[in-house]
Amino acid sequence: MSVYTKYHVSQDQPRVELHDNLSLTGAEVSVNALPAGGSVPFAHAHKQNEEIYCVTSGRGKAIIDGETIELVAGDWLRVAPEGRRQFFAAEDEGLSYICIQVKANSLEGYTMTDGIIC
């Protein structure tokens, strides 16, 4: 049995959830692309999961609990589970981002505290 899974995301896919494609066991990751003037068609929150967003290209905004946060390529954004969020691309430019969803307060170790030098 292999210790890794590889999956290719095509540039023409507006949204891809990688949980099943990569057999993820501790997170959900999605790759998202909104066209210029486009938006996620609904606001949402979560019961347990925080989300970490990485803007990979373009510009836009997120509205979180009524507050507008401007977004550009290179920005990282973390939203607590209860934060009501919705994303919008700029009128003249698309917005592409990666969303990492994990259970809030579940991380017990990271980097050197979880790493093993082989």
Side-chain angles (χ1 to χ4, degrees):
M1 182 173 175
S2 180
V3 295
Y4 70 91
T5 305
K6 179 182 175 183
Y7 181 77
H8 179 79
V9 176
S10 170
Q11 297 288 22
D12 63 344
Q13 295 174 277
R15 179 172 168 80
V16 177
E17 292 178 349
L18 298 176
H19 181 268
D20 292 338
N21 294 314
L22 290 177
S23 302
L24 300 176
T25 64
E28 170 65 290
V29 178
S30 63
V31 180
N32 305 269
L34 297 173
S39 68
V40 174
F42 53 86
H44 76 284
H46 285 277
K47 296 174 187 173
Q48 297 183 33
N49 296 342
E50 65 185 5
E51 290 182 322
I52 303 101
Y53 296 89
C54 173
V55 179
T56 56
S57 67
R59 341 181 256 110
K61 66 183 178 184
I63 298 179
I64 303 172
D65 287 344
E67 182 178 345
T68 299
I69 296 93
E70 297 296 327
L71 299 170
V72 296
D75 284 349
W76 285 83
L77 176 68
R78 181 245 177 208
V79 182
E82 65 276 8
R84 182 182 164 114
R85 67 212 75 172
Q86 188 172 9
F87 287 80
F88 302 82
E91 288 300 320
D92 61 344
E93 188 174 357
L95 177 69
S96 294
Y97 59 93
I98 294 169
C99 177
I100 304 163
Q101 186 180 134
V102 295
K103 185 176 179 182
N105 301 308
S106 65
L107 188 63
E108 295 179 5
Y110 58 95
T111 313
M112 294 308 294
T113 61
D114 187 60
I116 301 169
I117 297 175
C118 299

